[in-house]
């Protein structure tokens, strides 16, 4: 064990739980929690259950599961579930707790009052998501401040997020990126979709404005691409946006909806000629890591998080015209695309889930021994808005494994609005 052989009890709170079927937090919980359980730690995962008839297993990959419901409303679903989870946690003490999503930070004072050391995985810059109105954006801005005020440690999964918390709050972070799965090149399931390896471009994303699925589809329509565009994903709360995406498509675009068969999804990644990634606000994204783990060259939206991951294996766009330009260039230069795929596979080796689990294990050990403790901060105003150029803000505390972030990856400053 990375914490010196001591068995820890660790609670993972604030996600939809495991098995991972939705996003980055759930993937992280499954991959890290499963490994910590294998190492002998008592890992408890709080799982969100909306369907009363759904299966509720007690154990998954050695992790103990606690199922709690939630209100079926987008603005309250996460908070209501986390509230029920925290109520259970307060009656079942643990050595360390990790709360995923800064939106859950109003519960941190309760966890601290129970003398449970707690870290918050702050995710990306949620207040920049177009789906939130003024009230939602204000809430997320408040929640960031509350996370800084009440957490013993903050976890960032990308340099851009760590930079943001350093510059906006003068707050240190534990920089721990996600891992990249190793995706083999099997292709036997593609024939069932009438697809062949290298014969299509791929998008995998929830249909949300900040994921730019509409920009990708529009750009593809403007391109001269001979390979079809396969779109995987949907959105339960975005009917108008979904209609817009479909209206922008031409007959070369195929919508598969949600693909829950992980083997098929892996084959879609591995068989794609290019993977188009439009995510712009969420930090390091598991879909992007899965693409490089499959050795698939990427055409990504031009933000620091994406450049940090793909480096020279990617090209970038910022609008529909850029998508069309990069698609046409890719189809005109298959040898260059193949070389970018080779570079992608090399970069994936730097994002290793075992190394990530090591970093979480060390951090939980430091929480349990009170080595990591909430720094003294003002009760109310947390934001310092110190620009990086002044040199007055402390550097982020990087506790990621040596190979978690590739050397030479490009980063850019992420400033507060």
């Amino acid at each position: 064990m990375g914490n010196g052989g001591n068995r820890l009890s660790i609670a993972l709170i604030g996600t939809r739980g495991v098995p991972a079927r939705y996003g980055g937090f759930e993937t992280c919980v499954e991959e890290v929690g499963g490994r910590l359980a294998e190492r002998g730690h008592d890992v408890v995962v709080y799982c969100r259950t909306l369907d009363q008839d759904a299966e509720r297993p007690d154990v998954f990959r050695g992790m103990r599961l606690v199922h709690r419901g939630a209100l079926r409303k987008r603005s309250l679903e996460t908070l209501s579930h986390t509230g029920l989870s925290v109520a259970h946690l307060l009656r079942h003490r643990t050595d360390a707790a990790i709360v995923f999503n800064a939106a859950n930070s109003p519960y941190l004072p309760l966890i601290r009052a129970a003398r449970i050391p707690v870290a918050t995985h702050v995710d990306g810059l949620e207040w920049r998501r177009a789906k939130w109105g003024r009230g939602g954006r204000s809430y997320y801005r408040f929640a960031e401040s509350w996370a800084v005020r009440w957490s013993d440690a903050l976890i960032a999964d990308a340099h851009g997020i760590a930079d943001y918390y350093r510059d906006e709050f003068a707050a240190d972070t534990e920089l721990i990126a996600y891992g990249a799965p190793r995706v083999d090149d099997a292709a036997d399931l593609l024939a069932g979709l009438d697809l062949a390896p290298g014969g299509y471009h791929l998008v995998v994303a929830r249909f949300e404005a900040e994921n730019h699925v509409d920009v990708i589809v529009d750009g593809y329509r403007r391109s001269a691409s001979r390979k079809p565009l396969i779109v995987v994903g949907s959105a339960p709360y975005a009917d108008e946006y979904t209609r817009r995406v479909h209206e922008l498509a031409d007959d070369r675009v195929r919508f598969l909806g949600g693909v829950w068969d992980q083997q098929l999804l892996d084959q879609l990644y591995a068989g794609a000629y290019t993977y188009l990634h439009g995510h712009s606000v969420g930090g390091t994204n598991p879909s992007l890591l899965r693409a490089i783990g499959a050795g698939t060259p990427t055409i990504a939206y031009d933000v620091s998080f994406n450049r940090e991951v793909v480096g020279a294996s990617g090209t970038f766009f910022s609008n529909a015209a850029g998508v069309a330009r990069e698609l046409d260039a890719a189809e005109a230069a298959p040898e260059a695309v193949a070389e970018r795929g080779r570079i992608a596979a090399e970069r994936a080796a730097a994002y290793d889930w075992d190394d990530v689990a090591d970093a979480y294990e060390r951090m939980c050990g430091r929480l349990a021994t009170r080595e990591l403790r909430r720094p003294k901060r003002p009760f109310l105003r947390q934001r310092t808005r110190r620009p990086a150029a002044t040199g007055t803000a402390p550097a982020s505390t990087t506790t990621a494994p040596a190979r978690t972030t590739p050397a030479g990856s490009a980063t850019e400053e992420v400033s507060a609005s």
Side-chain angles (χ1 to χ4, degrees), residues 165-234:
Y165 277 84
R166 178 198 65 200
D167 299 335
E168 184 77 354
F169 298 99
D172 292 345
T173 56
E174 305 291 316
L175 179 56
I176 311 175
Y178 292 149
R182 302 300 181 266
V183 179
D184 64 35
D185 57 0
D188 56 291
L189 300 179
L190 295 180
L193 296 174
D194 196 24
L195 296 173
Y200 58 92
H201 303 280
L202 178 68
V203 182
V204 180
R206 291 198 299 273
F207 285 12
E208 296 176 346
E210 61 276 1
N211 292 344
H212 296 95
V213 182
D214 58 338
V215 175
I216 292 172
V217 171
D218 187 19
Y220 176 83
R221 179 177 55 85
R222 300 184 190 192
S223 77
S225 177
R226 297 180 180 180
K227 301 177 186 293
L229 177 67
I230 306 302
V231 181
V232 175
S234 61

Side-chain angles (χ1 to χ4, degrees), residues 45-298:
V45 177
Y46 287 88
C47 302
R48 191 180 311 175
T49 304
L50 299 178
D51 184 352
Q52 295 300 316
D53 296 326
E55 284 189 47
R56 301 188 182 192
D58 295 326
V59 178
F60 177 74
R61 286 186 58 178
M63 298 173 280
R64 293 192 292 120
L65 310 186
V66 176
H67 300 270
R68 290 293 182 268
L71 295 175
R72 289 177 175 271
K73 186 175 182 181
R74 179 175 68 181
S75 59
L76 296 176
E77 186 176 311
T78 295
L79 272 175
S80 61
H81 167 71
T82 302
L84 295 172
S85 301
V86 169
H88 181 276
L89 175 68
L90 298 182
R91 301 191 303 272
H92 301 81
R93 288 186 51 80
T94 188
D95 294 323
I98 301 176
V99 172
F100 291 82
N101 196 340
N104 292 313
S105 63
Y107 296 111
L108 293 173
L110 295 176
I111 298 173
R112 290 193 53 83
R115 301 184 61 79
I116 298 173
V118 59
T120 302
H121 191 311
V122 293
D123 195 22
L125 307 181
E126 283 289 324
W127 51 270
R128 290 185 177 177
R129 292 189 184 274
K131 66 181 179 181
W132 301 120
R134 180 178 298 178
R137 289 193 293 272
S138 296
Y139 174 78
Y140 272 104
R141 296 277 281 178
F142 154 78
E144 287 179 349
S145 295
W146 213 235
V148 170
R149 172 68 175 81
W150 288 103
S151 301
D152 289 302
L154 301 172
I155 304 168
D157 61 37
H159 281 289
I161 300 300
D163 291 345
Y164 171 79
Y165 277 84
R166 178 198 65 200
D167 299 335
E168 184 77 354
F169 298 99
D172 292 345
T173 56
E174 305 291 316
L175 179 56
I176 311 175
Y178 292 149
R182 302 300 181 266
V183 179
D184 64 35
D185 57 0
D188 56 291
L189 300 179
L190 295 180
L193 296 174
D194 196 24
L195 296 173
Y200 58 92
H201 303 280
L202 178 68
V203 182
V204 180
R206 291 198 299 273
F207 285 12
E208 296 176 346
E210 61 276 1
N211 292 344
H212 296 95
V213 182
D214 58 338
V215 175
I216 292 172
V217 171
D218 187 19
Y220 176 83
R221 179 177 55 85
R222 300 184 190 192
S223 77
S225 177
R226 297 180 180 180
K227 301 177 186 293
L229 177 67
I230 306 302
V231 181
V232 175
S234 61
Y237 299 111
D239 291 343
E240 183 177 344
Y241 185 80
T242 299
R243 282 194 297 272
R244 169 173 167 74
V245 171
H246 282 262
E247 288 170 357
L248 287 168
D250 60 22
D251 58 7
R252 296 173 297 165
V253 180
R254 292 178 55 188
F255 294 94
L256 300 187
V259 174
W260 308 113
D261 181 335
Q262 190 61 61
Q263 186 177 5
L264 174 58
L265 189 59
D266 285 346
Q267 291 193 16
L268 284 168
Y269 276 104
Y273 186 72
T274 68
Y275 169 72
L276 291 102
H277 185 78
H279 297 62
S280 62
V281 301
T284 301
N285 184 270
S287 295
L288 188 55
L289 291 170
R290 189 168 293 277
I292 68 169
T296 302
T298 297

Side-chain angles (χ1 to χ4, degrees), residues 219-220 222-224 299 315-331:
Y220 176 83
R222 300 184 190 192
S223 77
I299 301 172
T315 59
F316 302 91
F317 68 91
S318 57
N319 52 37
V323 173
R325 180 187 64 248
E326 297 302 333
L327 283 169
D328 288 343
E331 292 202 7

